[in-house]
Amino acid sequence: MSEEQGGTIEGLLNETRTYEPSASFTSAANINDPDVYRRASEDPEGFWAEIAGELDWYEKWNTVMDWNPPWVKWFDGGKLNVSYNCVDRHIKGWRRTKAAIIWEGEPGDERILTYQDLYREVNQAANMLKRLGVEKGDRVAIYLPMIPELPITMLACARIGAPHSVVFGGFSPDSLADRINDCGAKVVVTSDGGYRRGSVVPLKDNADRAVENTPNVEKMVVVQRLGRHVHPVRMRTGRDVWWHDAIQAGNGGYCEPEQLDSEHPLYILYTSGTTGKPKGLLHTTGGYLVGAYLTSKWVLDLKDEDIYWCTADIGWVTGHSYIVYGPLANGATTVMYEGAPDYPDKDRFWDIVERRAVTVLYSAPTAIRGFMRWGAEHVERHDLSSIRLLGTVGEPINPEAWIWYREHIGRNETPVVDTWWQTETGAVMIGGLPGITTMKPGSASHPFPGIEPDVVDAQGESVPLGQGGFLIIRKPWPAISRTVWGDDERYVEQYFSKFTPDIYFTGDGARRDEDGYYWLMGRVDDVLNIAGHRLGTMELESALVSHPSVAEAAVIGVSHDLKGQAVAAFVTPRGNVEPTWDLAEELRQHVADKIGPIARPDRIYFTAELPKTRSAKIMRRLLRDVAEGRVVGDTTTLTDPSVLEDIKKQYEGTEE
Ligand code: WTA
């Protein structure tokens, strides 16, 4: 563990408050028999197979799990279709007229799609994609705002067996192009734009710039979200088609779902790692759906009467698993909101909760800290009595934020589930079961049934309770990502080589307390967590050095009250470039242009040199020490110890 986390660990381990679910919550919960933990750990395959049996399969599997470390297959031989399970299955009975998606646009417009509506739209979109030449196995890139066409396109892709790759609408043209090229998408689905904090996000303009550098792209489908009067876009003849035209070209109608192998690729989702470009994690069909389905049912306790809202963006894995696939596989009602939490006012979320009578809310620590700062008066203006369960994901939640969430949003009554997982894990891995677990604020509590994590030292040996170490997972689970798209080696290298090939390394540090509760301590590698979003230091550094004035750059995460971590960049300018305030501004903007606004560094520090070891490795630990105002650690391996003094002076000079 890095030394800077020491203080936090001690603080967290002194947390003694506990919260039990109420008897009424427990008795109504989807899962309330604690014996489930024993059953799942004694026979994980039997456990998962039983759950898989709750979904619809065209053909049953031959083997539940086929493990050849690190490679694994789940439900091999089985055939199913995710879109069938999320849509068709529900229109056979009374859910046909139930709301599947309640959508609210930022300007206040709304669309409510019943399962029957969703069925019709997914079928039409699937036929449209086929007419545009998309075949089973082809990749489709999706670059859309949070509008219903986003889940519709995902489900349409799943229906015809074309893996999708959703790219977050906040990413730049360069980031989009990299992702399109990496997965080789031949169709891009985008929109003329979306709304964010009252302004227009020009997605089509960005996509136009991206596809200048993506030779594979044959067609671009454009949803009209804004309209000509708000933001006109250029349509390129032969390549671009409007969604509303393309969808009507056929006569709508039914699109037979493909009967897909359980291991057929469902989607590719890019996430930052420790090296170079983001990697495309591949999720497949059967195992992923089982994981998303069951965790939604048990951790989020989704029931038919619920109005459930996950506030994430579908551009991230949380949205994939817990706005789209998990809730819809359960036949739940899922709320989708397009815009910002403070538009038109800081009570927008609570206004939505009240008007829609949201019962289960799944949000993130960074959002909660923002609400705390804005003040409880924005919450108190609204009746939130519909809420019965709260969830959180994305980064460690500090106990104070957990308690605030429960007190102000959950009336001091509802359970709060903190859920630890990753793009790679596909579904929740650690997080209590709200009808069973006694929660401790700040702890993700226990592994989900059937999941076997451990906390180990550098040799891979379990550490005693109370001690910190690396968080690993000892056995495969159905929703694990199967590989890095097009790069098996990188997958093995990144996740299965720190210890032995049967041990999955998460990249996180954790501690288990005396009661066996897990306390997550953040990344132990060069990945930052900025407001719940993953960014690699390498990616940020490459963006900085791509600027003509930069010779070298080192990026670190520094603690930040709202965002959890913020980006601080140490930059050595080229030759005779003057380090000015304007240049710092330009560099911040440059990174935002290259990657996306979420990557914009909070601070830039110019330095004539970076502290390096004799083997030319940048000593980030020392930069972190300087940035966080700690006594600088051992510098004896530095080539030139005076470098650090210079940086420190600079740093102190710029600190307000
Ligand atoms: C962090 C998001 C502590 C962690 C689903 C992980 C968390 C990374 C939690 C994955 C949590 C996520 N407590 N840390 N409840 N949830 N993390 O891939 O560092 O965007 O490795 O997936 O976020 O981020 P990702």
Side-chain angles (χ1 to χ4, degrees):
M1 296 259 63
S2 53
E3 66 269 45
E4 71 255 32
Q5 287 156 349
T8 340
I9 293 174
E10 294 319 318
L12 284 175
L13 286 181
N14 288 332
E15 180 57 58
T16 51
R17 293 168 280 194
T18 56
Y19 296 82
E20 268 177 49
S22 67
S24 62
F25 190 99
T26 297
S27 66
N30 283 340
I31 179 81
N32 50 22
D33 176 8
D35 194 45
V36 65
Y37 286 105
R38 187 194 53 78
R39 278 198 293 126
S41 88
E42 280 176 12
D43 177 17
E45 290 180 45
F47 168 75
W48 290 115
E50 193 184 313
I51 303 302
E54 294 180 20
L55 299 174
D56 273 24
W57 298 75
Y58 300 111
E59 270 171 49
K60 213 185 155 198
W61 53 90
N62 305 320
T63 28
V64 176
M65 179 181 84
D66 175 0
W67 189 21
N68 179 18
W71 310 107
V72 69
K73 290 182 187 165
W74 282 90
F75 312 112
D76 202 26
K79 286 192 189 295
L80 77 165
N81 185 286
V82 167
S83 131
Y84 181 92
N85 273 283
C86 290
V87 187
D88 303 40
R89 194 155 84 105
H90 307 307
I91 62 162
K92 306 226 154 95
W94 69 271
R95 283 188 188 135
R96 192 162 76 84
T97 52
K98 171 180 175 170
I101 297 175
I102 297 181
W103 173 81
E104 192 163 314
E106 194 185 73
D109 41 347
E110 72 164 34
R111 277 174 73 189
I112 297 179
L113 283 86
T114 62
Y115 272 96
Q116 177 68 36
D117 295 332
L118 185 62
Y119 171 78
R120 190 187 61 246
E121 303 237 4
V122 168
N123 273 282
Q124 286 184 339
N127 281 329
M128 169 180 77
L129 292 174
K130 278 186 166 175
R131 282 195 303 273
L132 292 172
V134 180
E135 291 173 9
K136 177 174 160 184
D138 289 345
R139 277 79 63 207
V140 173
I142 309 179
Y143 185 61
L144 283 172
M146 285 283 286
I147 55 176
E149 284 78 4
L150 174 47
I152 290 167
T153 307
M154 293 162 78
L155 291 163
C157 287
R159 196 166 189 90
I160 63 177
H164 58 70
S165 186
V166 179
V167 180
F168 172 55
F171 277 125
S172 67
D174 280 357
S175 300
L176 174 60
D178 285 348
R179 287 158 172 80
I180 291 174
N181 285 331
D182 188 82
C183 73
K186 68 183 207 190
V187 169
V188 178
V189 181
T190 186
S191 77
D192 55 355
Y195 291 102
R196 182 81 193 176
R197 211 162 273 130
S199 326
V200 161
V201 186
L203 295 172
K204 168 71 162 87
D205 302 346
N206 290 348
D208 282 342
R209 278 197 278 153
V211 298
E212 282 166 18
N213 303 311
T214 60
N216 281 330
V217 173
E218 294 165 14
K219 295 280 176 204
M220 182 135 71
V221 186
V222 187
V223 178
Q224 193 168 49
R225 159 74 184 123
L226 305 175
R228 292 194 59 77
H229 55 291
V230 178
H231 185 76
V233 294
R234 279 210 299 222
M235 298 293 279
R236 167 123 153 235
T237 321
R239 186 196 65 192
D240 300 353
V241 288
W242 286 107
W243 172 287
H244 51 264
D245 292 334
I247 212 137
Q248 276 165 11
N251 53 3
Y254 179 65
C255 173
E256 179 83 33
E258 289 281 336
Q259 304 197 3
L260 300 171
D261 289 337
S262 180
E263 285 298 338
H264 186 80
L266 175 64
Y267 68 80
I268 300 160
L269 184 60
Y270 287 82
T271 190
S272 297
T274 48
T275 50
K277 294 208 155 150
K279 37 187 195 290
L281 273 320
L282 175 72
H283 282 287
T284 58
T285 300
Y288 174 78
L289 193 64
V290 168
Y293 162 78
L294 184 66
T295 48
S296 298
K297 183 170 169 178
W298 284 4
V299 179
L300 300 169
D301 196 44
L302 295 188
K303 303 199 179 75
D304 265 321
E305 316 73 89
D306 281 311
I307 309 271
Y308 158 71
W309 182 23
C310 165
T311 66
D313 191 289
I314 295 177
W316 311 109
V317 74
T318 304
H320 280 62
S321 298
Y322 298 110
I323 297 178
V324 184
Y325 292 118
L328 296 177
N330 278 277
T333 297
T334 177
V335 173
M336 244 182 107
Y337 168 56
E338 177 188 31
D342 55 350
Y343 190 88
D345 215 334
K346 294 190 169 61
D347 67 339
R348 181 62 183 266
F349 272 23
W350 319 121
D351 178 49
I352 293 176
V353 168
E354 179 174 12
R355 274 186 294 107
R356 308 285 173 195
V358 169
T359 55
V360 178
L361 181 71
Y362 192 28
S363 196
T366 184
I368 297 164
R369 291 192 298 265
F371 301 136
M372 289 170 75
R373 173 168 293 191
W374 293 343
E377 64 270 22
H378 300 289
V379 179
E380 282 154 11
R381 292 219 294 277
H382 296 278
D383 174 5
L384 306 186
S385 55
S386 53
I387 288 192
R388 65 176 191 86
L389 173 61
L390 297 171
T392 156
V393 59
E395 52 177 313
I397 182 163
N398 34 317
E400 293 325 309
W402 192 101
I403 292 195
W404 187 94
Y405 195 31
R406 184 173 187 275
E407 188 174 317
H408 292 276
I409 313 301
R411 304 179 305 282
N412 246 335
E413 245 171 61
T414 70
V416 176
V417 277
D418 177 15
T419 60
W420 176 90
W421 59 293
Q422 311 175 294
T423 307
E424 293 84 347
T425 71
V428 173
M429 301 291 283
I430 306 181
L433 296 173
I436 297 175
T437 314
T438 296
M439 305 290 179
K440 299 187 184 186
S443 163
S445 71
H446 304 299
F448 191 82
I451 305 294
E452 209 185 296
D454 198 357
V455 180
V456 300
D457 61 19
Q459 282 69 49
E461 299 292 328
S462 303
V463 301
L465 292 183
Q467 266 185 36
F470 301 108
L471 180 67
I472 58 144
I473 320 281
R474 291 202 179 275
K475 275 202 195 128
W477 60 99
I480 185 177
S481 155
R482 300 300 195 261
T483 191
V484 171
W485 180 259
D487 200 346
D488 288 351
E489 241 169 78
R490 194 164 168 205
Y491 177 76
V492 176
E493 160 68 26
Q494 182 86 34
Y495 306 109
F496 294 96
S497 58
K498 190 168 174 74
F499 306 103
T500 46
D502 53 337
I503 291 184
Y504 170 80
F505 175 48
T506 63
D508 279 21
R511 216 178 242 228
R512 254 172 321 192
D513 67 17
E514 303 298 332
D515 304 323
Y517 280 61
Y518 282 79
W519 299 80
L520 277 302
M521 316 304 342
R523 304 289 306 194
V524 292
D525 53 13
D526 289 331
V527 174
L528 309 183
N529 190 330
I530 313 293
H533 303 318
R534 275 165 71 169
L535 285 171
T537 50
M538 278 276 285
E539 243 175 302
L540 291 155
E541 288 163 8
S542 317
L544 281 163
V545 296
S546 73
H547 189 281
S549 303
V550 176
E552 209 177 18
V555 163
I556 56 164
V558 292
S559 319
H560 186 278
D561 281 356
L562 281 182
K563 299 200 266 189
Q565 274 190 314
V567 176
F570 294 80
V571 171
T572 308
R574 266 179 204 262
N576 40 21
V577 174
E578 271 296 299
T580 59
W581 175 253
D582 284 349
L583 177 60
E585 266 314 293
E586 193 179 317
L587 295 180
R588 294 176 68 230
Q589 187 54 40
H590 178 73
V591 176
D593 291 343
K594 280 269 156 196
I595 304 177
I598 49 164
R600 186 192 309 270
D602 290 74
R603 298 225 172 131
I604 304 261
Y605 301 98
F606 291 108
T607 162
E609 263 183 86
L610 291 167
K612 290 192 187 145
T613 61
R614 276 174 251 269
S615 57
K617 275 183 86 175
I618 295 172
M619 298 188 75
R620 291 170 205 286
R621 176 175 58 83
L622 298 183
L623 293 174
R624 273 194 291 265
D625 284 346
V626 174
E628 308 230 320
R630 273 184 305 273
V631 182
V632 173
D634 182 16
T635 58
T636 47
T637 50
L638 268 180
T639 31
D640 176 6
S642 72
V643 167
L644 208 63
E645 277 313 304
D646 291 346
I647 294 179
K648 221 173 138 190
K649 269 192 225 124
Q650 252 242 36
Y651 201 96
E652 281 155 3
T654 47
E655 205 76 347
E656 58 264 28

